[in-house]
Amino acid sequence: MKELNIETIKAFKELLGTSAKRIVIVPHVNPDGDAVGSALGMARVLKNAGHWVNVLSVNDYPGFYRWMTGHNEVSYYSKSSKKAAQLLDESDLLVCLDFNHLSRTGDMKSLIENYTKPSILIDHHPYPQDFPSVLISHPECSSTAELVFHVLNAAGFKEHVDKEAAEALFCGIMTDTGSFDYNVSDPQTFQTVGELLKYGIDQEYIHSQVFDNYSADRMRLLGYCLNECMEVFPEYHAAVMFLSKETQKKFNFVRGDSEGFVNYPLSIKGIHFSTLFTEKDDMVKASFRSKGEFAVNEFAAKNFNGGGHCNAAGGEVFASLSDTLDKYRELLPDYQAELIRTK
């Protein structure tokens, strides 16, 4: 990871000030492990430092993240937009985590857009929108959770990091690297994990809480998808999985059930580009993963209204699942040369 900018860290410290502040932390819509972990981890540290902190999420997140300290104090815009507006109105500072564009705040976009007090954005996605008072963007970082840990340390908050904060930040790093399978080319990521382990966290327990906490329906759904809803294209080193609304209903789908599904085809010999399409009421959600040099963020941005990282990206399509799959199949020949030479 590149060195943190001294002037940016100074500005970060100045916004927090020397007296207690009322701070609202906002992760992106449909929060994943990195969004939840970085938000709850940072909230814990700032609370330990004497600040009043409230994590405000656009909507709920999967149950296998509800073991982290502070999860029961999170407020949700989807449950009370009035309370969300009040929290922001009464705050002194807004901290946005793990998103690069206001569109990633979903239905809460207008509230964030019209926020007139100081704001901070800490994120590791490329091409951030320049809306906050202080922007801390490091796309080369494994996760926002890792970046939050470095920012807090550099700003003098290391003494306020405790086991509970370390657990949340470790969870963020672990989930956004696929249990350290990708986005971990920088040795500093493992040095960061080593620092977090010094707080006495139990990494096996954390891994189990996240990855060994699924329902039987979710396991049956995975088996069904691998057998009935996966297409493999050996000539393009690619594979696609798809989840129709009918399939989701059949297996009592709840948010978070398909997390990690997109990674499974990458275990197939010769496959280094994997896609998952999930049918929603008004659109199709797309998830992309790759090995090596094939840039799925560019593929997502150009073809599926998306973006993200080189090896992990997402997007959305306002078309039917059938049409989306047809489009995907038609695109593969255009990328054959890139897919063949990627390592």
Side-chain angles (χ1 to χ4, degrees):
M1 190 183 108
K2 296 176 182 176
E3 291 292 325
L4 295 171
N5 183 277
I6 296 175
E7 292 302 315
T8 301
I9 295 300
K10 181 180 178 181
F12 173 86
K13 292 172 67 175
E14 288 176 351
L15 284 184
L16 287 168
T18 55
S19 59
K21 291 286 182 72
R22 299 177 69 86
I23 302 168
V24 172
I25 296 177
V26 174
H28 59 73
V29 67
N30 300 323
D32 57 8
D34 190 23
V36 178
S38 58
L40 292 179
M42 187 173 195
R44 176 75 178 182
V45 173
L46 296 180
K47 284 180 181 179
N48 289 344
H51 295 288
W52 176 92
V53 187
N54 197 298
V55 175
L56 174 60
S57 181
V58 185
N59 54 357
D60 206 351
Y61 46 83
F64 45 82
Y65 295 132
R66 294 198 194 105
W67 54 269
M68 286 179 264
T69 299
H71 77 88
N72 56 334
E73 299 174 356
V74 175
S75 299
Y76 300 96
Y77 175 87
S78 59
K79 294 180 180 179
S80 176
S81 58
K82 183 177 179 180
K83 181 181 179 181
Q86 183 179 355
L87 286 172
L88 287 169
D89 185 58
E90 294 176 351
S91 68
D92 303 309
L93 176 66
L94 170 66
V95 179
C96 299
L97 295 178
D98 200 38
F99 62 89
N100 60 353
H101 199 280
L102 286 171
S103 61
R104 297 287 287 128
T105 57
D107 293 337
M108 207 160 64
K109 179 185 175 184
S110 61
L111 278 181
I112 305 300
E113 213 166 23
N114 295 318
Y115 188 79
T116 58
K117 298 166 190 175
S119 60
I120 298 168
L121 171 64
I122 304 176
D123 181 48
H124 75 134
H125 296 91
Y127 317 119
Q129 183 181 6
D130 189 16
F131 68 86
S133 309
V134 173
L135 171 63
I136 303 176
S137 173
H138 282 260
E140 76 282 1
C141 203
S142 74
S143 55
T144 295
E146 181 185 0
L147 181 55
V148 164
F149 181 69
H150 293 308
V151 169
L152 291 171
N153 283 352
F157 287 88
K158 187 172 184 178
E159 64 181 289
H160 301 294
V161 179
D162 59 12
K163 179 182 177 181
E164 288 74 15
E167 286 176 335
L169 295 174
F170 176 87
C171 180
I173 299 171
M174 177 188 73
T175 53
D176 232 37
T177 60
S179 293
F180 308 101
D181 187 42
Y182 48 81
N183 291 343
V184 286
S185 58
D186 188 344
Q188 190 174 31
T189 299
F190 293 98
Q191 293 170 7
T192 302
V193 169
E195 286 295 312
L196 293 173
L197 291 173
K198 292 178 182 178
Y199 290 94
I201 67 175
D202 185 341
Q203 71 273 21
E204 292 181 8
Y205 167 79
I206 295 172
H207 187 277
S208 179
Q209 286 295 105
V210 175
F211 296 109
D212 301 332
N213 212 357
Y214 296 119
S215 67
D217 280 331
R218 189 262 186 187
M219 297 302 289
R220 294 188 179 98
L221 172 64
L222 173 60
Y224 180 85
C225 286
L226 290 171
N227 192 53
E228 302 291 338
C229 308
M230 180 176 71
E231 296 180 30
V232 180
F233 307 89
E235 67 274 30
Y236 303 118
H237 303 281
V240 62
M241 294 175 67
F242 50 91
L243 276 174
S244 67
K245 289 193 292 184
E246 181 182 1
T247 297
Q248 294 171 58
K249 184 177 180 181
K250 180 178 181 180
F251 292 94
N252 304 309
F253 183 90
V254 296
R255 180 178 295 154
D257 274 356
S258 61
E259 191 154 329
F261 278 22
V262 68
N263 296 315
Y264 279 90
L266 294 177
S267 299
I268 301 171
K269 183 178 180 180
I271 300 302
H272 42 244
F273 174 36
S274 176
T275 300
L276 171 67
F277 291 120
T278 304
E279 187 179 23
K280 302 293 184 180
D281 288 335
D282 57 348
M283 48 88 88
V284 175
K285 178 184 175 183
S287 298
F288 306 100
R289 296 291 185 273
S290 68
K291 295 178 182 177
E293 300 171 359
F294 184 67
V296 291
N297 55 348
E298 296 178 7
F299 180 85
K302 186 174 182 180
N303 303 296
F304 293 98
N305 307 303
H309 305 285
C310 179
N311 297 121
E316 55 188 27
V317 190
F318 296 94
S320 69
L321 179 61
S322 177
D323 288 347
T324 301
L325 285 166
D326 285 342
K327 178 180 179 179
Y328 175 84
R329 297 183 190 105
E330 291 169 1
L331 283 169
L332 286 177
D334 297 337
Y335 291 87
Q336 185 172 27
E338 290 180 51
L339 290 165
I340 287 175
R341 71 169 178 265
T342 191
K343 295 180 181 178

